[in-house]
Amino acid sequence: MASDRLFGLVTLITAVAYIAAATQIQTNFFSGEFLPKLFPIMIGCVAAISSLVMVFKPDPDPDWPAARTFLSMGIAVLVLAIYAVMLTPLGFILPTMIAAGILSYQISDRPGPSVFSGIGLSLGLFVLFKYALGLGNIVAYRIPTVEKLWNALTVLIPFVGH
């Protein structure tokens, strides 16, 4: 209950700030006075109404998962963040293979099938994206330099310059 009310209050404050920001949108003579502001204000109103429902009619207290589940989610977020920054220096296949293998291992902790899942997913997705969907800008692999790898990783480390 308390978590729903707290989340609803934070959402309400955010929605009001969003509406206030939407009223400050600059308009010109051709777009009309209120039309460019209408959609953002409507989104803010829906968010405000939804947050008020959470504040005044919260769900019962949830059963939170075990700490091990939060650790698994943290590992998954870290793997996906590293995957995102490694696509540019390493290409598509190797980072996808490693990330899919690690995430597959988290789902079912059997190393053999996880390795084959990573290999199959990376190659299958590459063929799908490159040839079936015609996305020609996907690079299969790149030979990275230490400098390119470091520059990619510094995106994840705050306050480290390039």
Side-chain angles (χ1 to χ4, degrees), residues 16-29:
V16 169
Y18 186 78
I19 292 170
T23 61
Q24 302 301 315
I25 293 175
Q26 297 293 324
T27 59
N28 60 27
F29 178 73

Side-chain angles (χ1 to χ4, degrees), residues 18-81:
Y18 186 78
I19 292 170
T23 61
Q24 302 301 315
I25 293 175
Q26 297 293 324
T27 59
N28 60 27
F29 178 73
F30 297 107
S31 65
E33 172 71 27
F34 197 68
L35 193 58
K37 301 175 185 182
L38 182 62
F39 185 70
I41 289 173
M42 287 173 32
I43 297 290
C45 289
V46 170
I49 292 168
S50 300
S51 65
L52 287 171
V53 169
M54 281 188 276
V55 168
F56 292 115
K57 192 177 177 199
D59 287 337
D61 282 333
D63 294 329
W64 290 97
R68 186 174 190 275
T69 304
F70 286 111
L71 177 65
S72 293
M73 287 190 292
I75 290 171
V77 167
L78 182 65
V79 165
L80 291 173

